[in-house]
């Protein structure tokens, strides 16, 4: 039986991935960890450790204490927060990740999963259907850490035979835990504001198009890659995974089908420059070929589900 440690479990993806992983492997076999003291309620049904990924002895002790054989490392500063504190982004995203890799190597763990991001791309990268293999010259510190992370992950595979996997998440849209510090966060905030106030001021321009994904597809992509036969993979840490792409104006139109009185205005800030350096869409044919990636949601089915789930939450007074 697997013993999995999810670091950064209290965040947007971690809190939902934990539920999915616990439903497969059992609550007690999935240890969650995060730097924060107050964890989302959803993590309370299994073991939790307060943990700073940059503290190698602490990570080592948790891995030993729980006999961990697999680490999912989601601890990271995202693009917008990373620009405010670039050295901290490096410290958490790279030094923290190296701690995980070194411990996995030393204790001969079975698998490490760490996500990358569309932030690995930059203005010199082709913007439409961005290929798997292409120019990686990001302009954000977050992007720089993600390119480095992909290279380091592959290095540990080839040099030490460690099983390290990861994929390039696009913007992730969800309704359980809010994202924090990303450039794509507008695509989550917009739903909360549409339901609560019927209006939203977007921090990106109306025609900014970005690759996005609904959380159920994000969980599926993560688990499908983790479960794939390692010997069949030709790539390890850097899979493009596409699902849908839209502009802020297109998302507002999709929401208006359910909330006709919804209005949107635009007041771009420093995140516009980050978004402008990222692709419109990605070519994920390699992920489809190597491990059968196939997303389920599009902008309309996602919007229907988001509005149903968030309306229920709003009516219960949960936001
Ligand atoms: C961000 O906006 O920084 C993240 C990402 C695309 O990795 N959501």
């Amino acid at each position: 039986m697997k013993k999995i440690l999810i670091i950064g479990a209290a965040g947007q993806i971690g809190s939902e991935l934990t539920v999915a992983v616990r439903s497969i492997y059992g609550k007690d076999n999935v240890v969650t960890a995060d730097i924060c003291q107050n964890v989302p309620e959803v993590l309370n049904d299994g073991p939790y450790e307060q943990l700073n990924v940059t503290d190698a002895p602490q990570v080592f002790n948790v891995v030993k204490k729980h006999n961990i054989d697999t680490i999912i490392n989601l601890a990271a500063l995202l693009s917008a927060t990373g620009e405010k504190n670039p050295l901290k982004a490096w410290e958490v995203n790279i030094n923290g990740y190296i701690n995980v890799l070194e411990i996995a190597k030393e204790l001969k763990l079975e698998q490490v999963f760490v996500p990358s991001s569309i932030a690995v791309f930059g203005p010199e990268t082709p913007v439409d259907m961005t290929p798997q293999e292409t120019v990686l010259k990001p302009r954000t510190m977050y992007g720089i850490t993600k390119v480095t992370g992909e290279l380091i992950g592959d290095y540990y595979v080839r040099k030490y035979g460690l099983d390290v996997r990861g994929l390039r998440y696009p913007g992730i849209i969800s309704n359980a835990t809010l994202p924090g510090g990303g450039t794509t966060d507008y695509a989550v905030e917009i739903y909360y504001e549409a339901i609560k106030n019927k209006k939203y001021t977007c921090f990106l321009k109306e025609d900014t198009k970005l690759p996005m994904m609904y959380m159920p597809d994000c969980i599926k992509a993560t688990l499908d890659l983790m479960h794939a036969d390692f010997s069949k993979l030709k790539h390890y840490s850097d899979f493009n995974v596409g699902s849908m792409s839209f502009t802020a104006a297109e998302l507002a139109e999709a929401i208006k089908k359910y909330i006709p009185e919804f209005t949107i205005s635009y007041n771009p800030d420093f995140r516009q420059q980050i978004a402008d350096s990222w692709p419109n869409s990605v070519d994920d044919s390699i992920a489809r070929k190597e491990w059968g990636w196939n997303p389920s949601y599009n902008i309309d089915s996602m919007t229907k589900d988001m509005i149903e789930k968030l309306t229920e939450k709003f009516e219960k007074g949960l936001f």
Side-chain angles (χ1 to χ4, degrees), residues 78-79 117-118 142 170-171 182-184 278:
L78 299 187
S79 55
S117 160
I118 54 161
Y142 175 60
T183 301
T184 57
W278 290 353

Side-chain angles (χ1 to χ4, degrees), residues 230-241:
F230 194 65
S231 67
K232 301 240 162 76
L233 298 181
K234 294 191 175 63
H235 297 75
Y236 304 108
S237 292
D238 59 3
F239 288 99
N240 278 1
V241 277

